[in-house]
Amino acid sequence: MYLADYHTHSTCSDDGHNTMTEMAAAALSAGLHEICLTDHLDVVTWLGDQVREHSWRAAVEQFAAARAALGSRIKIQLGVELGQATEDVSRANRFLDDAPPLDFIIASLHNLSWEYGRRDFCTVEEADEVFARRAIGEYLDEMLALARWGRFSVLGHLTLPLRYFNENLGMHMTFKGFEEQVAEIFKCIIPAGRGIELNTNRGHTPLPDEPILRLYRDLGGEIITLGSDAHTPEYVGCAITDRQALLRACGFDYFATFDRLVPVYHKL
Ligand SMILES: [Zn+2]
Ligand SMILES: [Zn+2]
C-alpha cells in the first residue's frame, strides 16, 4: 500500500519544532513513500491579528535542503496550509502568487468569528454547548465561503472545532444537525475538482470522522488526502494505515497525493 503523509509542519511554521529534513527523515523511518510539508501561512494569527507580510525564503531553502539530503529515498513535496484566506482574499492571493511552485494547498480555518475576537479555537476555555454549536455553525458558514473561493487542493480538517471542544475541554460535540451545511460545502467543491483531507489528528478522532466521510462519498466526493498534522517527528505517518482502512470502509477506492496541484490517485 502506498503511504503518504500530506499534512506536516516544520520550523517554517510558528508552532513547528523540526526542520523539513528532520520531518522527511522521520517519514522515511516510518516507512512512508511520500511526505508533503504544509507549513502554516495565515492571513490572521491565532490571536486574531492581521498578518501583513510573508516571506517564502525559509521554506524554499529548507525544502531544497530536504530534497538534497533525502530526495533519492523518499518523495518530498512542498505544500502549504493557508489559514483564514477569506478574511482578506487579495492578501491570500498575493501570498500564493509570490509562492515557489507548490504541489499542494490545504485551505483551513482555525479562528472563531469576529464576534468572539477572531481568536483561534484552541484558545476557547469554556465548555458551553450553546456557544459551541453557534461557533460550529459560523465556522461552517465561513468554510462555505472558502469553498466558493476555491484556490486550494483540499479543505483542511473540516471538523476542527471538535478537536478543541472535545479533546481540550472534555465535551462530546458532534456535527449532528450540521449535515446540510456540510453538504452544501461538498456540493460546491466536488464539481470544482477540489477535495478534502482526512486529518488523522495525530491518532485522535479523525477530522472529519465517519459520518462526514460517508456524506462526502455519497455526494460523489473522490479527492481525499491523508495527513497526520505532525508538528514533531514522532507523529509523522501517525494512524495513516488505520485511516486508509476507514476510507475503504466508507466506500472510497482511492486516496490522493498531488504533483504541482494536480491530483495523483492511489488504490486503497
Ligand atoms: Zn490546521
Ligand atoms: Zn496543520
Side-chain angles (χ1 to χ4, degrees):
M1 183 70 66
Y2 196 79
L3 295 173
D5 189 336
Y6 256 60
H7 192 145
T8 62
H9 295 275
S10 75
T11 47
C12 294
S13 295
D14 286 343
D15 55 358
H17 301 278
N18 297 83
T19 63
M20 289 189 187
T21 302
E22 289 168 337
M23 297 301 274
L28 188 61
S29 45
L32 305 190
H33 303 93
E34 182 169 344
I35 181 172
C36 186
L37 282 308
T38 54
D39 283 300
H40 289 294
L41 169 49
D42 291 286
V43 172
V44 177
T45 72
W46 68 282
L47 288 174
D49 304 319
Q50 306 278 308
V51 176
R52 299 268 157 219
E53 299 304 330
H54 174 73
S55 168
W56 288 94
R57 192 169 156 184
V60 168
E61 288 176 3
Q62 282 211 29
F63 182 63
R67 273 206 167 161
L70 297 166
S72 61
R73 301 170 68 195
I74 181 169
K75 186 168 179 177
I76 307 170
Q77 302 287 79
L78 184 63
V80 69
E81 180 177 9
L82 182 65
Q84 301 297 137
T86 44
E87 180 70 31
D88 186 336
V89 166
S90 64
R91 191 178 310 159
N93 280 328
R94 179 161 51 82
F95 286 168
L96 291 179
D97 291 343
D98 292 344
L102 295 173
D103 293 300
F104 182 56
I105 301 168
I106 301 174
S108 294
L109 297 176
H110 299 108
N111 295 61
L112 294 155
S113 70
W114 276 111
E115 188 183 340
Y116 302 110
R118 234 341 162 215
R119 290 171 299 119
D120 194 295
F121 272 97
C122 72
T123 64
V124 175
E125 288 176 344
E126 268 176 77
D128 176 338
E129 195 170 326
V130 172
F131 162 74
R133 289 193 68 79
R134 186 163 171 183
I136 289 171
E138 291 178 350
Y139 166 87
L140 288 172
D141 285 342
E142 294 202 75
M143 192 60 83
L144 180 60
L146 192 61
R148 287 178 174 145
W149 176 61
R151 196 169 173 186
F152 56 84
S153 313
V154 300
L155 292 173
H157 43 55
L158 198 69
T159 53
L160 181 76
L162 302 183
R163 177 190 281 170
Y164 301 109
F165 291 133
N166 297 346
E167 291 168 31
N168 287 10
L169 301 173
M171 300 174 74
H172 301 282
M173 300 301 300
T174 70
F175 269 37
K176 241 185 179 357
F178 295 103
E179 292 85 351
E180 268 181 41
Q181 267 181 287
V182 174
E184 207 176 338
I185 293 164
F186 290 160
K187 286 175 190 166
C188 175
I189 61 170
I190 292 168
R194 309 279 176 257
I196 63 168
E197 73 158 348
L198 191 174
N199 187 302
T200 72
N201 195 19
R202 285 163 268 184
H204 297 285
T205 305
L207 307 169
D209 61 0
E210 189 165 343
I212 302 288
L213 293 172
R214 285 188 182 278
L215 177 62
Y216 179 61
R217 187 72 199 99
D218 289 348
L219 291 171
E222 288 184 332
I223 298 175
I224 188 155
T225 57
L226 290 135
S228 65
D229 219 342
H231 287 63
T232 48
E234 70 262 36
Y235 290 112
V236 175
C238 183
I240 295 282
T241 305
D242 289 351
R243 298 318 175 204
Q244 286 183 334
L246 173 61
L247 287 182
R248 276 194 298 277
C250 291
F252 292 89
D253 296 320
Y254 297 90
F255 74 96
T257 57
F258 281 76
D259 275 330
R260 296 286 168 94
L261 307 178
V262 177
V264 179
Y265 297 96
H266 306 270
K267 188 105 186 76
L268 278 161

mmCIF file of all heavy atoms in Angstrom, residues 145-163:
data_model
loop_
_atom_site.group_PDB
_atom_site.id
_atom_site.type_symbol
_atom_site.label_atom_id
_atom_site.label_comp_id
_atom_site.label_asym_id
_atom_site.label_seq_id
_atom_site.Cartn_x
_atom_site.Cartn_y
_atom_site.Cartn_z
ATOM 1 N N ALA A 145 -17.811 29.866 2.328
ATOM 2 C CA ALA A 145 -17.198 30.993 1.596
ATOM 3 C C ALA A 145 -15.816 30.599 1.077
ATOM 4 O O ALA A 145 -15.436 30.928 -0.058
ATOM 5 C CB ALA A 145 -17.100 32.217 2.511
ATOM 6 N N LEU A 146 -15.073 29.878 1.890
ATOM 7 C CA LEU A 146 -13.740 29.402 1.491
ATOM 8 C C LEU A 146 -13.863 28.442 0.304
ATOM 9 O O LEU A 146 -13.095 28.525 -0.663
ATOM 10 C CB LEU A 146 -13.104 28.703 2.697
ATOM 11 C CG LEU A 146 -11.631 28.356 2.635
ATOM 12 C CD1 LEU A 146 -10.769 29.600 2.467
ATOM 13 C CD2 LEU A 146 -11.219 27.603 3.913
ATOM 14 N N ALA A 147 -14.855 27.531 0.388
ATOM 15 C CA ALA A 147 -15.084 26.569 -0.700
ATOM 16 C C ALA A 147 -15.379 27.304 -1.999
ATOM 17 O O ALA A 147 -14.892 26.942 -3.068
ATOM 18 C CB ALA A 147 -16.234 25.642 -0.329
ATOM 19 N N ARG A 148 -16.172 28.384 -1.906
ATOM 20 C CA ARG A 148 -16.538 29.143 -3.116
ATOM 21 C C ARG A 148 -15.334 29.888 -3.688
ATOM 22 O O ARG A 148 -15.217 30.056 -4.895
ATOM 23 C CB ARG A 148 -17.665 30.128 -2.793
ATOM 24 C CG ARG A 148 -18.985 29.392 -2.606
ATOM 25 C CD ARG A 148 -20.114 30.347 -2.239
ATOM 26 N NE ARG A 148 -21.383 29.636 -2.208
ATOM 27 C CZ ARG A 148 -22.381 29.891 -1.360
ATOM 28 N NH1 ARG A 148 -22.250 30.864 -0.472
ATOM 29 N NH2 ARG A 148 -23.478 29.184 -1.391
ATOM 30 N N TRP A 149 -14.426 30.317 -2.810
ATOM 31 C CA TRP A 149 -13.193 30.987 -3.257
ATOM 32 C C TRP A 149 -12.379 30.031 -4.137
ATOM 33 O O TRP A 149 -12.004 30.370 -5.248
ATOM 34 C CB TRP A 149 -12.400 31.464 -2.041
ATOM 35 C CG TRP A 149 -11.080 32.071 -2.364
ATOM 36 C CD1 TRP A 149 -10.840 33.180 -3.124
ATOM 37 C CD2 TRP A 149 -9.806 31.608 -1.923
ATOM 38 N NE1 TRP A 149 -9.481 33.430 -3.180
ATOM 39 C CE2 TRP A 149 -8.838 32.490 -2.461
ATOM 40 C CE3 TRP A 149 -9.380 30.538 -1.117
ATOM 41 C CZ2 TRP A 149 -7.473 32.321 -2.224
ATOM 42 C CZ3 TRP A 149 -8.027 30.378 -0.877
ATOM 43 C CH2 TRP A 149 -7.084 31.272 -1.423
ATOM 44 N N GLY A 150 -12.082 28.857 -3.608
ATOM 45 C CA GLY A 150 -11.619 27.760 -4.452
ATOM 46 C C GLY A 150 -10.154 27.635 -4.765
ATOM 47 O O GLY A 150 -9.765 26.728 -5.476
ATOM 48 N N ARG A 151 -9.289 28.518 -4.236
ATOM 49 C CA ARG A 151 -7.882 28.416 -4.622
ATOM 50 C C ARG A 151 -7.118 27.488 -3.665
ATOM 51 O O ARG A 151 -6.295 27.926 -2.864
ATOM 52 C CB ARG A 151 -7.267 29.819 -4.656
ATOM 53 C CG ARG A 151 -5.961 29.846 -5.412
ATOM 54 C CD ARG A 151 -5.479 31.233 -5.695
ATOM 55 N NE ARG A 151 -4.135 31.189 -6.271
ATOM 56 C CZ ARG A 151 -3.388 32.250 -6.524
ATOM 57 N NH1 ARG A 151 -3.850 33.457 -6.282
ATOM 58 N NH2 ARG A 151 -2.172 32.119 -7.024
ATOM 59 N N PHE A 152 -7.422 26.220 -3.755
ATOM 60 C CA PHE A 152 -6.805 25.231 -2.863
ATOM 61 C C PHE A 152 -6.971 23.848 -3.481
ATOM 62 O O PHE A 152 -7.748 23.668 -4.432
ATOM 63 C CB PHE A 152 -7.468 25.275 -1.472
ATOM 64 C CG PHE A 152 -8.968 25.073 -1.514
ATOM 65 C CD1 PHE A 152 -9.518 23.809 -1.545
ATOM 66 C CD2 PHE A 152 -9.835 26.171 -1.555
ATOM 67 C CE1 PHE A 152 -10.900 23.628 -1.604
ATOM 68 C CE2 PHE A 152 -11.221 25.999 -1.625
ATOM 69 C CZ PHE A 152 -11.746 24.710 -1.644
ATOM 70 N N SER A 153 -6.245 22.887 -2.919
ATOM 71 C CA SER A 153 -6.392 21.492 -3.348
ATOM 72 C C SER A 153 -7.445 20.794 -2.505
ATOM 73 O O SER A 153 -8.313 20.085 -3.034
ATOM 74 C CB SER A 153 -5.063 20.745 -3.196
ATOM 75 O OG SER A 153 -3.975 21.480 -3.714
ATOM 76 N N VAL A 154 -7.335 20.954 -1.176
ATOM 77 C CA VAL A 154 -8.304 20.335 -0.257
ATOM 78 C C VAL A 154 -8.659 21.308 0.865
ATOM 79 O O VAL A 154 -7.873 22.197 1.202
ATOM 80 C CB VAL A 154 -7.756 19.025 0.389
ATOM 81 C CG1 VAL A 154 -7.418 17.970 -0.667
ATOM 82 C CG2 VAL A 154 -6.566 19.282 1.301
ATOM 83 N N LEU A 155 -9.838 21.107 1.435
ATOM 84 C CA LEU A 155 -10.210 21.797 2.672
ATOM 85 C C LEU A 155 -9.621 21.001 3.842
ATOM 86 O O LEU A 155 -9.791 19.782 3.905
ATOM 87 C CB LEU A 155 -11.727 21.883 2.798
ATOM 88 C CG LEU A 155 -12.433 22.803 1.785
ATOM 89 C CD1 LEU A 155 -13.953 22.667 1.921
ATOM 90 C CD2 LEU A 155 -12.015 24.264 1.978
ATOM 91 N N GLY A 156 -8.945 21.698 4.746
ATOM 92 C CA GLY A 156 -8.270 21.017 5.865
ATOM 93 C C GLY A 156 -9.218 20.712 7.018
ATOM 94 O O GLY A 156 -10.197 21.431 7.239
ATOM 95 N N HIS A 157 -8.911 19.618 7.707
ATOM 96 C CA HIS A 157 -9.582 19.221 8.963
ATOM 97 C C HIS A 157 -10.967 19.854 9.129
ATOM 98 O O HIS A 157 -11.178 20.718 9.996
ATOM 99 C CB HIS A 157 -8.707 19.506 10.175
ATOM 100 C CG HIS A 157 -7.968 20.819 10.204
ATOM 101 N ND1 HIS A 157 -8.600 22.030 10.068
ATOM 102 C CD2 HIS A 157 -6.650 21.098 10.399
ATOM 103 C CE1 HIS A 157 -7.710 23.004 10.158
ATOM 104 N NE2 HIS A 157 -6.509 22.449 10.350
ATOM 105 N N LEU A 158 -11.907 19.373 8.330
ATOM 106 C CA LEU A 158 -13.230 20.011 8.216
ATOM 107 C C LEU A 158 -13.976 20.111 9.545
ATOM 108 O O LEU A 158 -14.778 21.012 9.741
ATOM 109 C CB LEU A 158 -14.068 19.226 7.204
ATOM 110 C CG LEU A 158 -15.275 19.936 6.648
ATOM 111 C CD1 LEU A 158 -14.861 21.085 5.734
ATOM 112 C CD2 LEU A 158 -16.166 18.972 5.879
ATOM 113 N N THR A 159 -13.716 19.190 10.458
ATOM 114 C CA THR A 159 -14.414 19.224 11.755
ATOM 115 C C THR A 159 -13.483 19.703 12.870
ATOM 116 O O THR A 159 -13.631 19.307 14.036
ATOM 117 C CB THR A 159 -14.981 17.825 12.098
ATOM 118 O OG1 THR A 159 -13.919 16.868 11.997
ATOM 119 C CG2 THR A 159 -16.091 17.431 11.128
ATOM 120 N N LEU A 160 -12.563 20.607 12.541
ATOM 121 C CA LEU A 160 -11.548 21.061 13.516
ATOM 122 C C LEU A 160 -12.092 21.510 14.875
ATOM 123 O O LEU A 160 -11.474 21.215 15.906
ATOM 124 C CB LEU A 160 -10.717 22.199 12.919
ATOM 125 C CG LEU A 160 -9.620 22.713 13.847
ATOM 126 C CD1 LEU A 160 -8.445 21.740 13.872
ATOM 127 C CD2 LEU A 160 -9.135 24.096 13.441
ATOM 128 N N PRO A 161 -13.236 22.236 14.945
ATOM 129 C CA PRO A 161 -13.678 22.678 16.276
ATOM 130 C C PRO A 161 -13.819 21.516 17.265
ATOM 131 O O PRO A 161 -13.634 21.711 18.476
ATOM 132 C CB PRO A 161 -15.043 23.334 15.992
ATOM 133 C CG PRO A 161 -14.937 23.811 14.582
ATOM 134 C CD PRO A 161 -14.114 22.763 13.868
ATOM 135 N N LEU A 162 -14.099 20.324 16.751
ATOM 136 C CA LEU A 162 -14.260 19.172 17.665
ATOM 137 C C LEU A 162 -12.960 18.834 18.385
ATOM 138 O O LEU A 162 -12.979 18.346 19.515
ATOM 139 C CB LEU A 162 -14.776 17.943 16.897
ATOM 140 C CG LEU A 162 -16.114 18.124 16.161
ATOM 141 C CD1 LEU A 162 -16.532 16.807 15.503
ATOM 142 C CD2 LEU A 162 -17.199 18.618 17.110
ATOM 143 N N ARG A 163 -11.819 19.108 17.716
ATOM 144 C CA ARG A 163 -10.522 18.843 18.374
ATOM 145 C C ARG A 163 -10.451 19.619 19.684
ATOM 146 O O ARG A 163 -10.024 19.095 20.702
ATOM 147 C CB ARG A 163 -9.375 19.252 17.445
ATOM 148 C CG ARG A 163 -7.990 19.078 18.078
ATOM 149 C CD ARG A 163 -6.889 19.714 17.230
ATOM 150 N NE ARG A 163 -6.492 18.907 16.097
ATOM 151 C CZ ARG A 163 -5.689 19.356 15.119
ATOM 152 N NH1 ARG A 163 -5.208 20.579 15.163
ATOM 153 N NH2 ARG A 163 -5.354 18.571 14.131
#
